[in-house]
């Protein structure tokens, strides 16, 4: 863990806040009916205009993928037009050769399929022979046979003989099919159009790619003018990030797929699976489909391995080949090659795959991830598209303290503790309470102040939060052990000495159950600094129970408040504590939301800042120190300064009683 005063690291806004929002963020992130209607209308247009938008989408993604190669060749001084033509010719030549090889392999497979029928029948008969009549295979076979017989008996047969005694049907109706004569032009059109249409679409894509690469700068300028020329920095950032993410995704995914497909093709050839080259090439393409691409690429070779011989060895070797290659690729090659993520959450990739498949069919499935990446990048930088970043992005949309508060509201102590332990792998306990724990309680206090949180809910939430704090008590021992085993050195990474050693501190809640939780958090943070600490609920501040606080064994007491403006009656406990034990140093903390964890947008309106007058009032009443943040509070709590004497109370105003009835009547009412 890093070294810092009090072993508390400085929080940075990037780790504590969510994505930066504009001034209109609260309005843009709401899902309204007009916005949903707009999205539905756009989806309908994409569905209806598939023949127009699908070639454009393919051309756009190919442009993203080929742009880095064009830029590299241009760096050698080659003219732009020549560079684009060379790159496009090479790319589409490779695609054409790939398609020819796949088509040839498919035709060979179609001719050989009848040869595998006998092997399949032999294996099925062997499976049925191994199981007795009561076995699962026998029962399934009998069930299918019985169902087939029942269906056959229920359906009328066209050639069934007439029942005995029934007159023969001499005038049975005959089926008549009307065949309209077609002109030679119509026949030629029906034959030629299905053949010419794919060629025409491919030619259109090639032309669009060429012109997109030639006019990249012009298209960029037009896009900037379209979405906002008054913010060139943000718009340029959108274009750069979208282009780099999509290009990196396509190129690195192609490299990963090649590395994946080579051992698959070679392994299938060695095993003896027919058309191993075909399955290697299809594996290369199908792995562009997220998550299910590997399963689809393995399904056909597994079926052929099952059918290629009457034995089971080919099937077992094929399954082992796909499992080993998938494990190595997923756990070693992909983490090594992927320098950056796509920015899309795993669930969003699945949902987008379903959506784009419904819109554009199989090609939409292949294009789903790149298209979704573009939408997420737009949503990350342009407020009008922020909905896509919230729905599909892989970054948390709730700040860590808001997420913790939500877990407390849901009553999930286990999940809250798990998230805390996960964060404590890289942070000190005091860091976690400062940046996440205390801000989450401030959100709860804000909800209680505006009446959203009832008293029963507050008590329940405080109990859940206190349970999480109790579960984290073991972390105090771990930090103390780490500090004690660290040898003193001049190394900047060595933990600093414990500043609380030998100090006896009591932390107590100010006026609510939520304040009690902050007292427990502060107690643990000070205990991790070597202090001897304890925490008590706010109910122990009553005059009848102050004597039970064992104040004579304490060096200082800290009263904790979440209310940004605690009442004077609550602060007067300072004076009672000082009177009960004059040697005691008494401090007050009025917790304030750290700037790095402050709410943004409409949430910021709900949070109130600490009034400086309240800190001054606490000191005037007799507090030895007053703070609003973790670091200065902990430094003041472990300090060995002498306690300040109690200030003399203000004289009470005189209330002279009238001496006679006449004098009393003279007093104005």
């Amino acid at each position: 863990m890093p070294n810092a005063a009090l072993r508390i690291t400085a929080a940075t806004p990037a780790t504590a806040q969510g994505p930066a929002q504009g001034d209109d963020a609260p309005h843009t992130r709401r899902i309204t009916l007009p916005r949903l209607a707009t999205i539905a209308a756009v989806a309908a247009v994409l569905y209806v205009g598939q023949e127009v938008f699908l070639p454009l989408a393919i051309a756009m993604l190919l442009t993203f993928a080929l742009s880095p190669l064009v830029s590299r060749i241009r760096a050698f001084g080659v003219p732009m037009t020549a560079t684009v033509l060379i790159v496009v010719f090479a790319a589409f030549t490779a695609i054409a050769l790939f398609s020819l090889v796949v088509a040839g392999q498919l035709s060979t497979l179609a001719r050989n399929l009848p040869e595998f029928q006998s092997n399949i029948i032999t294996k099925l008969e062997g499976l049925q022979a191994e199981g007795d009549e009561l076995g699962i295979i026998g029962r399934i076979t009998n069930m299918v046979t019985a169902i087939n017989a029942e269906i056959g008996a229920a359906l009328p047969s066209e050639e069934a003989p007439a029942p005995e005694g029934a007159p023969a049907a001499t005038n049975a109706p005959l089926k008549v099919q009307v065949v309209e004569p077609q002109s030679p032009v119509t026949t030629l059109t029906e034959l030629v159009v299905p053949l010419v249409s794919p060629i025409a679409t491919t030619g259109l894509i090639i032309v669009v790619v060429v012109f997109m690469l030639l006019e990249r700068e012009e298209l960029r300028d037009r896009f900037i003018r379209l979405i906002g020329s008054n913010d060139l920095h943000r718009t340029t950032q959108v274009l750069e990030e979208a282009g780099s993410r999509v290009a990196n995704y396509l190129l690195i995914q192609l490299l990963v797929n090649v590395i994946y497909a080579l051992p698959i093709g070679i392994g299938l050839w060695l095993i003896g699976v027919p058309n191993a080259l075909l399955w290697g090439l299809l594996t290369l393409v199908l792995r562009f489909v997220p998550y299910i691409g590997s399963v689809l690429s393995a399904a056909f070779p597994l079926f052929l391995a099952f059918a290629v011989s009457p034995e089971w060895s080919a099937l077992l070797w094929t399954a082992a080949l796909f499992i080993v290659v998938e494990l190595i690729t997923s756990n070693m090659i992909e983490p090594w090659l992927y320098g950056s993520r796509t920015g899309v959450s795993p669930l969003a990739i699945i949902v987008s795959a379903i959506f784009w498949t419904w819109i554009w069919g199989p090609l939409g499935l292949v294009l789903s991830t790149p298209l979704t990446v573009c939408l997420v990048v737009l949503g990350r930088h342009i407020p009008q598209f922020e909905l896509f970043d919230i729905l599909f992005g892989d970054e948390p949309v709730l700040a860590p303290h808001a997420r913790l508060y939500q877990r407390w509201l849901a009553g999930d102590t286990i999940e809250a503790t798990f998230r805390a332990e996960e964060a404590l792998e890289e942070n000190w306990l005091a860091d976690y309470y400062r940046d996440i724990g205390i801000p989450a309680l401030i959100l709860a206090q804000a909800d209680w102040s505006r009446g959203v949180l009832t008293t029963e809910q507050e008590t329940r939430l405080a109990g859940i939060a206190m349970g999480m704090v109790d579960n984290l008590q073991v972390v105090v021992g771990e930090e103390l052990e780490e500090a004690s085993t660290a040898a003193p050195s001049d190394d900047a990474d060595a933990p600093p000495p414990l500043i609380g050693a030998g100090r006896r501190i009591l932390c107590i809640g100010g006026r609510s159950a939520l304040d009690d939780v902050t007292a427990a958090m502060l107690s643990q943070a000070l205990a991790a600094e070597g202090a001897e600490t304890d925490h008590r609920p706010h109910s122990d501040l009553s005059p009848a129970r102050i004597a039970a606080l064992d104040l004579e064994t304490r060096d200082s007491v800290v009263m904790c408040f979440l209310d940004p403006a605690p009442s004077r009656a609550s602060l007067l406990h300072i004076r009672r504590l000082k009177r009960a034990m004059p040697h005691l140093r008494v401090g007050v903390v009025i917790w304030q939301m750290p700037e790095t964890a402050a709410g943004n947008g409409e949430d910021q309106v709900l949070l109130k800042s600490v009034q400086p007058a309240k800190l001054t009032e606490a000191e005037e009443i007799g507090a030895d120190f007053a703070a609003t943040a973790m670091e200065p509070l902990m430094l003041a709590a472990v300090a060995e300064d002498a306690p300040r004497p109690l200030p003399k109370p203000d004289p009470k105003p005189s209330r002279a009683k009238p001496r006679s009835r006449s004098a009393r009547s003279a007093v104005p009412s």
Side-chain angles (χ1 to χ4, degrees):
M1 293 184 183
N3 181 21
L6 286 174
R7 298 189 298 166
I8 300 179
T9 58
T12 58
T15 59
Q17 280 182 317
Q21 308 292 344
D23 295 333
D24 56 345
H27 303 285
T28 57
R29 64 166 161 266
R30 291 173 181 163
I31 301 179
T32 59
L33 288 178
R35 182 163 298 181
L36 289 177
T38 302
I39 295 175
V42 171
V45 171
L46 292 175
Y47 180 80
V48 174
Q50 173 181 351
E51 296 183 359
V52 176
F53 293 108
L54 182 56
L56 291 178
I58 296 175
M60 181 186 68
L61 294 179
L62 288 176
T63 303
F64 277 129
L66 298 178
S67 292
L69 185 58
V70 171
S71 300
R72 292 199 174 188
I73 297 178
R74 283 278 292 158
F76 294 99
V78 182
M80 184 64 179
T81 304
T83 301
V84 170
L85 293 178
I86 291 172
V87 171
V88 172
F89 178 78
F92 282 93
T93 300
I95 295 174
L97 292 176
F98 178 89
S99 302
L100 290 176
V101 172
V102 171
Q105 292 290 313
L106 284 175
S107 63
T108 304
L109 177 64
R111 290 195 302 268
N112 296 334
L113 279 179
E115 301 177 4
F116 306 139
Q117 182 177 357
S118 60
N119 294 328
I120 296 175
I121 294 175
T122 301
K123 284 188 177 181
L124 293 178
E125 290 177 350
L127 288 174
Q128 188 173 4
E130 291 179 2
D132 54 8
E133 294 183 357
L134 299 178
I136 183 66
I137 298 176
R139 276 187 277 177
I140 292 176
T141 305
N142 294 335
M143 180 185 68
V144 173
T145 303
I147 293 174
N148 188 32
E150 292 292 335
I151 294 175
L155 294 177
S157 176
E158 296 181 358
E159 300 178 357
E164 295 182 2
T170 56
N171 298 324
L174 299 176
K175 292 184 178 180
V176 178
Q177 183 178 3
V178 178
V179 179
E180 296 182 359
Q182 292 182 340
S183 64
V185 176
T186 304
T187 305
L188 183 64
T189 302
E190 292 180 353
L191 292 176
V192 172
V193 169
L195 297 176
V196 174
S197 180
I199 300 175
T201 302
T202 304
L204 176 63
I205 293 174
I206 295 174
V207 172
V208 173
V209 170
V210 169
F211 279 95
M212 280 188 173
L213 289 173
L214 287 174
E215 300 186 6
R216 284 185 303 168
E217 289 77 9
E218 182 67 21
L219 291 175
R220 179 195 60 199
D221 296 343
R222 292 181 181 276
F223 184 77
I224 291 175
R225 181 69 180 86
L226 180 65
I227 68 173
S229 58
N230 56 344
D231 194 351
L232 292 176
H233 171 72
R234 175 181 294 181
T235 310
T236 304
Q237 191 175 6
V238 170
L239 294 175
E240 292 295 330
E241 186 175 349
S244 63
R245 285 203 180 195
V246 175
N248 289 338
Y249 168 77
L250 293 174
L251 294 178
I252 295 178
Q253 186 66 48
L254 177 62
L255 178 60
V256 171
N257 292 356
V258 171
I259 297 174
Y260 186 96
L262 279 176
I264 290 294
I266 296 173
L268 293 177
W269 176 69
L270 294 175
I271 293 171
V273 176
N275 304 96
L277 177 61
L278 170 65
W279 307 124
L281 295 176
L282 288 181
T283 298
L284 189 150
V285 175
L286 289 174
R287 267 191 59 87
F288 277 102
V289 180
Y291 298 106
I292 62 174
S294 300
V295 178
L296 294 177
S297 64
F300 301 105
L302 286 174
F303 172 75
L304 283 180
F306 175 79
V308 73
S309 69
E311 299 179 356
W312 294 92
S313 58
L315 178 63
L316 297 177
W317 279 110
T318 302
L321 173 66
F322 275 95
I323 292 174
V324 171
V325 174
E326 177 65 28
L327 290 176
I328 294 175
T329 304
S330 300
N331 297 293
M332 297 177 60
I333 296 177
E334 285 184 344
W336 174 52
L337 288 178
Y338 278 110
S340 60
R341 300 170 298 175
T342 60
V344 183
S345 67
L347 179 61
I349 290 178
I350 297 295
V351 174
S352 65
I354 296 173
F355 173 78
W356 290 111
T357 304
W358 171 65
I359 294 291
W360 288 341
L363 285 177
L365 181 62
V366 178
L367 302 176
S368 60
T369 300
L371 292 174
T372 309
V373 169
C374 294
L375 291 177
V376 170
V377 172
L378 287 174
R380 191 158 295 168
H381 298 285
I382 301 177
Q384 291 80 2
F385 295 92
E386 186 186 6
L387 177 66
F388 297 111
D389 184 34
I390 295 175
L391 293 178
F392 302 137
D394 62 348
E395 295 183 359
V397 295
L398 288 179
H401 65 282
R403 188 188 305 176
L404 177 62
Y405 177 43
Q406 192 275 331
R407 290 292 84 201
W408 288 344
L409 288 173
D412 195 344
T413 308
I414 297 176
E415 179 67 17
T417 304
F418 174 77
R419 294 291 182 184
E421 291 174 344
E422 194 176 51
L424 288 170
E425 292 291 333
E426 301 178 356
N427 296 285
W428 299 104
L429 186 62
D431 287 340
Y432 178 77
Y433 285 149
R434 176 199 63 193
D435 297 333
I436 301 177
I438 300 296
L441 290 169
I442 292 176
L443 292 180
Q445 175 66 33
D447 283 348
W448 184 87
S449 299
R450 62 193 182 97
V452 176
L453 202 65
T454 64
T455 304
E456 292 77 10
Q457 290 173 330
E458 178 201 18
T459 304
R460 177 176 176 270
L461 186 143
I464 298 295
M466 190 66 77
M468 187 202 77
V469 174
D470 293 339
N471 293 338
L472 296 180
Q473 182 63 34
V474 66
V475 180
V476 176
E478 294 174 356
E479 293 192 3
L480 289 175
E481 182 180 359
E482 182 178 350
S484 62
T485 56
S489 64
D490 296 333
D491 187 5
D493 295 331
L498 300 176
I499 64 170
R503 306 299 293 167
R504 299 166 299 177
I505 305 171
L506 174 65
C507 304
I508 190 166
R511 59 181 295 271
S512 69
L514 297 177
D515 294 338
D516 299 342
V517 181
T518 65
M521 291 181 177
L522 177 61
S523 175
Q524 282 190 354
L526 289 168
E529 291 292 336
E532 181 184 341
T533 64
D534 191 11
H535 63 89
R536 298 292 182 85
H538 66 283
S539 57
D540 285 356
L541 286 174
S542 62
R545 304 184 65 175
I546 283 184
L549 292 177
D550 196 18
L551 298 177
E552 62 272 7
T553 62
R554 308 294 179 182
D555 297 318
S556 60
V557 175
V558 182
M559 293 174 54
C560 303
F561 292 94
L562 284 168
D563 189 349
S567 63
R568 182 177 179 84
S570 300
L571 296 176
L572 284 176
H573 291 300
I574 300 171
R575 188 168 296 173
R576 296 190 182 98
L577 292 171
K578 298 276 288 186
R579 286 174 178 170
M581 195 60 58
H583 79 279
L584 200 63
R585 296 182 69 249
V586 179
V588 172
V589 56
I590 305 177
W591 296 109
Q592 180 169 276
M593 181 74 76
E595 293 182 0
T596 56
N600 49 51
E602 61 186 6
D603 298 334
Q604 193 173 14
V605 180
L606 306 177
L607 301 176
K608 298 180 181 179
S609 301
V610 175
Q611 299 178 6
K614 285 297 178 180
L615 297 178
T616 305
E617 183 180 2
E619 293 177 346
E620 291 176 351
I621 291 176
D624 296 287
F625 56 91
T628 61
M630 183 71 77
E631 295 93 329
L633 173 66
M634 294 177 67
L635 288 172
V638 300
E640 299 183 4
D641 300 337
R644 294 164 44 190
L646 272 174
K648 293 182 179 180
D650 297 334
K652 296 182 179 180
S654 59
R655 296 182 180 177
K657 297 183 179 180
R659 296 180 179 274
S660 63
R661 186 182 302 270
S662 59
R664 185 180 293 116
S665 61
V667 178
S669 57

